[in-house]
Amino acid sequence: MRLLKKIFVFPRILYFLIPILIISVVFTNLPSNGVEVRSIEFIGEATLPKGLILKKTEVGGLSGITYNAKDNLYYAISDDRGQKAAARFYTLKIDLSKGLLQKDGITPVSVTTLINENGQTFRPGETDTEGIALTNKGTVFISSEGNAAKLINPFIKEFSLSSGKEIVALPIPNKFLPDKTSQQGIRNNFAFESLTITPDKKHLFTATENALIQDGVAAKPNIGSPCRILQYNLLNNQPEKEFLYQTEPVAPFLNLIGKFASGLPDFLALDNQGHFLSLERSFTGLGFAISLFQVSLEEADDIHNIDSLLAVDSKNIKPIKKKLLLDLRKLDVLLDNIEGLTLGPKLPDGQQSLILISDNNFNSLQRTQILAFKIKIENPLIRLLRRFIPNFNL
């Protein structure tokens, strides 16, 4: 009798194992194993007072931002080239405890001065720090655009959070470095604006804001620019891959002053499988055009062995995939010069927050603006369940 019970118990186990096996097989063979943003909702705006002084430095030029979940703090890098004070980043508190951002929800906490490898502050004009990304080692990586006009190279360096001291500098591939002939390398003020690290802390990504000189034209009215995404392996601190990112052509609106600028100021890793949010920002002559995209590297070609896109048939190169998530001009908000983004904490309803920040250029006509959003991020399993179960919602 016991033997018969064992024989009939075994199939019952299969009832549990077979569905799990089927789901696992389907899950691992999905076209995308990465996350996807299903929805986005604006939850508030705040601005810092103009001319705000913190520890004898003017708070401004905030071009990049990163979030410390452990301490619920944000670090924002200033792109001041040493004119107002030495190169530095600020620590901020952003209150989202009520599920929204109120007008007084931003509190500057402290300022950290960057110290170079020689134990000195960076000289005025030596840096143009634009991107910042937090590690799990009590450090941040910071990117600088350099100054192509003065042949000052861009850099990506790691600094201590507590002391601001430089720890290591990542090598920059030669194709990105400016030269005396002005025939290759970054364009001035269109270099490494962006910086992000994958959740597993194994890879760092940056990108040029516009095309390298040898890759194509800078963005113009109604014309996009072919940027390069640069991927680093943080296990050995070496560059390993590059990808083509084409910015969107933007039409100026009443461009009476004749000025136009457009590019890729920041992007943000959502997972470890090459899925990001990207931020494209344009000054159109009358206000700013800001767009958020979902980005995937899954089928993009690695172009790190191609020194010049103009020297090859770039039509055969598969760029990264983009999908428009939000055109911020549709919000009931007067947009400023948005340049940075980061994921914030989970909100009271369990959804993920997203923070965007603007660079006021230390201009009295501009503001340091912080925008907050609620985003719903789906993993592949949830997408699979929604595919097979009608009206499934989580």
Side-chain angles (χ1 to χ4, degrees), residues 148-149 151 174-188 211-217 228 307-311:
L151 297 182
N174 287 333
K175 68 170 74 73
F176 293 89
L177 304 180
D179 67 5
K180 295 180 181 179
T181 67
S182 299
Q183 298 298 308
Q184 77 149 41
I186 57 168
R187 285 182 159 88
N188 198 42
L212 298 177
I213 292 173
Q214 70 270 25
D215 281 346
V217 298
R228 283 193 190 234
D307 289 335
S308 169
L309 294 179
L310 292 176

Side-chain angles (χ1 to χ4, degrees), residues 74-348:
Y74 297 79
Y75 308 111
I77 186 70
S78 174
D79 69 357
D80 176 21
R81 297 190 179 196
Q83 305 304 312
K84 301 285 185 178
R88 60 204 181 275
F89 66 86
Y90 292 91
T91 301
L92 309 174
K93 288 184 178 180
I94 301 178
D95 185 6
L96 299 175
S97 60
K98 296 181 180 178
L100 50 83
L101 176 60
Q102 297 178 316
K103 292 183 178 181
D104 59 351
I106 312 298
T107 305
V109 176
S110 62
V111 56
T112 303
T113 300
L114 301 182
I115 306 298
N116 65 22
E117 60 182 348
N118 299 318
Q120 306 293 322
T121 58
F122 289 92
R123 297 188 303 273
E126 187 179 3
T127 66
D128 183 9
T129 46
E130 299 277 1
I132 186 168
L134 181 69
T135 73
N136 58 357
K137 303 180 297 181
T139 64
V140 287
F141 277 96
I142 291 173
S143 62
S144 170
E145 290 193 296
N147 189 326
K150 296 182 179 180
L151 297 182
I152 297 175
N153 290 335
F155 70 64
I156 303 170
K157 295 184 177 184
E158 186 177 11
F159 295 87
S160 167
L161 265 181
S162 58
S163 67
K165 291 182 179 178
E166 179 181 333
I167 297 171
V168 68
L170 302 186
I172 307 296
N174 287 333
K175 68 170 74 73
F176 293 89
L177 304 180
D179 67 5
K180 295 180 181 179
T181 67
S182 299
Q183 298 298 308
Q184 77 149 41
I186 57 168
R187 285 182 159 88
N188 198 42
N189 210 32
F190 284 113
F192 297 150
E193 281 255 357
S194 53
L195 206 62
T196 187
I197 296 175
T198 52
D200 63 8
K201 306 303 181 183
K202 292 182 179 179
H203 293 94
L204 176 145
F205 292 83
T206 187
T208 57
E209 187 179 2
N210 267 212
L212 298 177
I213 292 173
Q214 70 270 25
D215 281 346
V217 298
K220 300 178 181 179
N222 302 302
I223 299 175
S225 187
C227 306
R228 283 193 190 234
I229 293 176
L230 175 56
Q231 174 182 324
Y232 283 86
N233 185 333
L234 291 182
L235 299 180
N236 59 17
N237 286 341
Q238 293 298 310
E240 56 182 8
K241 294 181 180 180
E242 295 170 24
F243 305 94
L244 173 60
Y245 182 110
Q246 184 72 39
T247 65
E248 296 299 301
V250 176
F253 180 67
L254 294 179
N255 193 358
L256 301 178
I257 61 175
K259 291 186 177 180
F260 179 87
S262 184
L264 172 66
D266 209 359
F267 62 101
L268 175 68
L270 294 176
D271 59 19
N272 306 316
Q273 285 78 43
H275 297 89
F276 302 81
L277 293 180
S278 70
L279 180 68
E280 294 190 26
R281 178 275 325 272
S282 301
F283 178 70
T284 65
L286 185 65
F288 293 91
I290 314 291
S291 296
L292 275 173
F293 293 86
Q294 295 188 62
V295 174
S296 173
L297 304 183
E298 281 182 300
E299 298 178 11
D301 289 332
D302 178 6
I303 59 172
H304 81 276
N305 286 323
I306 300 175
D307 289 335
S308 169
L309 294 179
L310 292 176
V312 300
D313 187 355
S314 59
K315 293 180 181 179
N316 296 324
I317 297 174
K318 290 182 181 178
I320 57 92
K321 288 185 176 180
K322 295 166 54 181
K323 181 173 73 173
L324 180 64
L325 181 63
L326 178 66
D327 182 342
L328 273 68
R329 288 176 294 185
K330 295 181 179 179
L331 301 177
D332 188 21
V333 173
L334 179 62
L335 296 173
D336 213 292
N337 184 32
I338 301 293
E339 288 196 357
L341 78 166
T342 187
L343 294 178
K346 291 292 180 66
L347 298 168

